Amino acid sequence: MKRVPFRVIVAIFLVALVVIVLAVTGHIRPAPPSDESLLKIVIYTVFQCGACERLNSEVEPELGQRYVATGKAQIEIRLLGAMDPNSMRGAEAALCAGDQGRFLEYMDALFDAYAEEEDTDVFLVEALTELAAALDLDEAAFASCLNSEAKKALVEENMNMAQADGVGTLPAFVVGDFKIEGCKPLDNYIQAIEEVLAVQQLGNRR
């Protein structure tokens, strides 16, 4: 059996060592697991909407625990600006917070702020920026994103998708061929998801 030259062994060892160091320091990151196989649940929602706030505070957390945390589904929140300039600005603000990885936290906080105050002043640029600061976001980066209307096109895209999905009432929940509009009891959403999951599992067995 032919021996591998010592210098080749050393070279392989050094390459492996470099890869390990880069991985540990974060310069090489493992590829994130694909989530294309997960069931997608889409929720269309808007600020200044009582039913939307109830869905956000009462239904979404339960669905998250049952299906997202267990790796059965993913939830995509599509914020709209359908009410007036305030709701548009609020949607843009939440998406700006998303640039710092805080979309859901900011959205929850803004829903809470409006429900508590019932005052549209919470949607003023100054108030939205103060909320970002209270959540320890980079205030300057957030303000720059919001003032530049960098997320306006994305909100408009969400509105186009809502129209394509035939959404007429908010909030709207879409999974598979099911569409539930308005805020309904939790069991309605669970039943729809379970039926779609059952069909999905049946298809995977074939």
Side-chain angles (χ1 to χ4, degrees), residues 164-179:
D165 282 338
V167 172
T169 302
L170 295 173
F173 165 99
V174 180
V175 61
D177 293 330
F178 289 90
K179 179 172 63 179

Side-chain angles (χ1 to χ4, degrees), residues 53-118:
E53 190 280 326
R54 290 195 301 277
L55 185 76
N56 178 74
S57 62
E58 299 172 9
V59 174
E60 287 176 29
E62 291 293 331
L63 297 182
Q65 290 181 6
R66 285 174 178 263
Y67 300 106
V68 179
T70 56
K72 296 179 180 178
Q74 57 183 323
I75 297 177
E76 180 179 334
I77 308 294
R78 295 178 182 171
L79 277 172
L80 309 181
M83 303 294 286
D84 58 22
N86 286 328
S87 58
M88 171 65 83
R89 197 180 303 113
E92 292 179 56
L95 291 169
C96 285
D99 286 349
Q100 301 184 43
R102 308 289 287 279
F103 171 77
L104 291 175
E105 187 175 352
Y106 190 95
M107 183 183 68
D108 291 345
L110 187 51
F111 265 123
D112 290 344
Y114 180 69
E116 181 179 348
E117 301 291 337
E118 294 187 356

Side-chain angles (χ1 to χ4, degrees), residues 1-9:
M1 181 178 177
K2 189 176 180 180
R3 293 185 177 181
V4 179
F6 178 75
R7 64 173 181 269
V8 173
I9 296 174

Side-chain angles (χ1 to χ4, degrees), residues 2 5 8 23 36 40 49 59 64 76 91 109 112 124 131 162 193 197 199:
K2 189 176 180 180
V8 173
E36 292 180 358
K40 179 182 283 189
C49 162
V59 174
E76 180 179 334
D112 290 344
L124 296 176
L131 181 59
I193 294 170
L197 281 174
V199 171

